[in-house]
Amino acid sequence: MEKDEMLNRSPWATAAKITFFAGPGGESGLPRNDPFGNNRQPRVSGRGGNAGRGTVASSDTNPGEFHAVARWESARPIYSALKTHNEDASQFYIIALIGDLPDLGGASDDETSARQQRSQMMREATKLERKGESPIYLDHVQPVNGGDLFYFSRLEPIKPSGKDITFTTRMGPLEIKAKFSLKDMMYRGKLEL
């Protein structure tokens, strides 16, 4: 499998489904060409760092449309393709979300309370959903060039018998989901996450 395919279209890397929250009655009241009603620029891939490697399609014709790839940075096939290894992978499942999503992290001069509030909201909205078991909620998120790294504790193991797992998060008015088939994530006889 070629490196670009492994990093963007493989059992460990898939296009995320991004839906926009409409307000009551289905209308957000925001202009169609700017779903956030502001001038923030979307983040784009390819600005360096491990999470920014690889390509993600961007839509120049529809600025209200966003694209992203969810990728298991803690899985051996991915870090082998990147030729790097995150030391935290033994303690955490690490998922990179990369693409042309809006930068909702706020400016560096944001107040500490605002950053803490965003962090708490991310913890509540970000999870790994397992069939027949309780979800694994976000431990912490780390911004990187081209996206974010989401860390989930390995204390609650993901078993191949679960069939699939869904990464879910919210960023402002966007809900982002990526579903992975666990049977396809077997590597050398072992589930690699």
Side-chain angles (χ1 to χ4, degrees):
M1 189 177 286
E2 290 184 21
K3 180 179 176 179
D4 184 65
E5 187 177 350
M6 175 61 75
L7 298 178
N8 294 287
R9 294 172 305 281
S10 72
W12 297 274
T14 188
K17 181 182 176 187
I18 303 171
T19 53
F20 177 67
F21 289 105
E27 287 297 321
S28 67
L30 298 175
R32 287 197 180 276
N33 65 347
D34 182 5
F36 302 101
N38 60 36
N39 294 321
R40 286 190 177 159
Q41 296 297 310
R43 292 185 297 196
V44 294
S45 62
R47 289 191 281 171
N50 292 338
R53 295 185 188 171
T55 58
V56 178
S58 176
S59 174
D60 294 329
T61 58
N62 185 356
E65 185 177 332
F66 299 101
H67 301 274
V69 167
R71 181 170 70 210
W72 290 79
E73 297 285 303
S74 52
R76 183 180 310 270
I78 295 298
Y79 65 72
S80 293
L82 289 170
K83 299 188 182 342
T84 63
H85 180 63
N86 188 321
E87 292 177 10
D88 292 330
S90 63
Q91 297 176 28
F92 296 97
Y93 301 112
I94 305 169
I95 295 183
L97 187 62
I98 57 171
D100 65 347
L101 292 167
D103 185 5
L104 298 173
S108 59
D109 60 350
D110 277 357
E111 294 180 17
T112 302
S113 62
R115 285 195 304 267
Q116 289 173 341
Q117 183 179 9
R118 178 184 183 268
S119 178
Q120 181 61 33
M121 288 172 55
M122 289 292 286
R123 278 196 200 99
E124 293 171 6
T126 307
K127 59 191 169 192
L128 295 175
E129 297 174 313
R130 306 177 289 176
K131 280 194 174 178
E133 296 187 58
S134 61
I136 302 172
Y137 285 93
L138 178 70
D139 185 87
H140 64 281
V141 64
Q142 175 185 347
V144 292
N145 288 334
D148 290 307
L149 294 179
F150 296 85
Y151 290 74
F152 302 88
S153 173
R154 286 186 183 263
L155 291 177
E156 296 183 61
I158 297 170
K159 301 170 191 158
S161 59
K163 296 188 179 178
D164 60 75
I165 191 150
T166 304
F167 166 77
T168 304
T169 192
R170 280 185 173 177
M171 292 183 174
L174 299 180
E175 181 177 62
I176 302 162
K177 289 190 174 196
K179 188 173 184 177
F180 299 88
S181 169
L182 295 176
K183 69 176 182 162
D184 295 335
M185 299 173 84
M186 300 298 287
Y187 180 74
R188 298 182 180 171
K190 180 184 169 191
L191 179 62
E192 268 299 335
L193 300 175

